[in-house]
Amino acid sequence: MGELSDRDDYEYSTSEDDAEYSWIGWFCSRKGHEFLCEVDREFVEDNFNLYGLRALVPHYNEALDMILDIERMEETPTDDRQAKIESSAEYLYGLIHGRYVLTSAGLNSVLEKYYNAEYGRCPRVFCKDQPVLPAAVSDVPHEEAVKVYCPSCEDMYSTRSRLDGAFFTTSLPHLLMLQYPDIRPPKPTERYIPRIYGYRIHKPKK
């Protein structure tokens, strides 16, 4: 479900002057959430984009209100209920994020992060610091944490991120390459050759 939030770090506000302190901006700026893009508010407000998520997320209405910085005139929830709502808001945002990054606007946000190497660089020596993209090995939530995909060697690597892979989907890096074919790097032509004292090691004959 990603990392749980620190409840005391955020003060809600709905004024236009404090727009830069929105829940979405705060959540994406937290340490460990560098892979996340800020989903456009209009996307979150469109019920079509949220179809089917209500059945997956506990406290759906309250979680959605939290994401959109909407305060309703109701009783203050208990600490336990508040913690559950915050956890649900983080999970719901992640699922929304997984849909948003596959849109034109979302792909542009991912592309910008890719250009800035915000997802990291390929650890493979012969990929020569090639920037990587977020990817998943499963679209099912809670199965695997997000991985990174190198478009040069076309392999996947683990990361330190604890974010759910479903927040990025298995399709993201490949859809981005289809949308922007010019950014696909050439495949590396070099590969590591094991040697001992400078001599190439030959596999024993069977």
Side-chain angles (χ1 to χ4, degrees):
M1 205 183 281
E3 296 178 73
L4 295 180
S5 63
D6 297 321
R7 298 176 50 237
D8 296 331
D9 287 350
Y10 183 73
E11 182 176 346
Y12 292 103
S13 172
T14 55
S15 70
E16 294 182 1
D17 293 338
D18 292 334
E20 66 269 28
Y21 300 114
S22 67
W23 186 94
I24 293 176
W26 164 82
F27 185 62
C28 292
S29 67
R30 294 193 63 225
K31 185 177 180 180
H33 292 183
E34 294 83 3
F35 280 20
L36 293 174
C37 300
E38 291 194 26
V39 178
D40 293 338
R41 183 184 179 92
E42 292 76 14
F43 185 89
V44 182
E45 291 176 330
D46 189 337
N47 288 330
F48 177 80
N49 298 324
L50 311 182
Y51 181 78
L53 297 183
R54 180 183 295 273
L56 302 177
V57 181
H59 310 290
Y60 175 85
N61 289 333
E62 296 94 331
L64 185 58
D65 284 349
M66 181 174 287
I67 291 173
L68 294 173
D69 301 298
I70 296 174
E71 294 185 2
R72 301 188 186 277
M73 300 299 292
E74 298 177 353
E75 294 184 6
T76 303
T78 63
D79 289 346
D80 180 63
R81 180 174 176 79
Q82 180 70 13
K84 291 179 179 178
I85 293 173
E86 290 175 0
S87 180
S88 290
E90 296 178 4
Y91 180 46
L92 176 59
Y93 183 81
L95 296 178
I96 295 172
H97 182 274
R99 297 181 176 188
Y100 175 73
V101 293
L102 300 182
T103 67
S104 179
L107 288 173
N108 283 331
S109 296
V110 172
L111 183 62
E112 182 177 353
K113 284 180 172 286
Y114 170 73
Y115 279 144
N116 295 328
E118 294 183 36
Y119 300 117
R121 297 181 183 274
C122 183
R124 188 174 182 273
V125 172
F126 296 117
C127 285
K128 299 179 180 178
D129 289 331
Q130 167 64 42
V132 293
L133 288 161
V137 296
S138 173
D139 290 320
V140 179
H142 310 308
E143 284 201 353
E144 288 280 351
V146 63
K147 313 298 182 187
V148 290
Y149 170 81
C150 175
S152 181
C153 65
E154 299 182 339
D155 209 346
M156 295 183 71
Y157 301 90
S158 296
T159 74
R160 294 182 179 180
S161 177
R162 297 170 55 194
L163 293 170
D164 199 313
F167 295 173
F168 301 88
T169 78
T170 57
S171 302
L172 174 56
H174 315 296
L175 184 60
L176 188 74
M177 292 293 140
L178 286 174
Q179 186 75 13
Y180 303 100
D182 292 342
I183 70 171
R184 184 182 294 276
K187 292 185 178 181
T189 56
E190 299 176 86
R191 67 182 185 89
Y192 176 68
I193 299 176
R195 297 177 185 273
I196 296 179
Y197 299 124
Y199 295 98
R200 182 172 180 173
I201 301 173
H202 296 279
K203 293 182 179 180
K205 295 181 180 180
K206 295 183 179 179

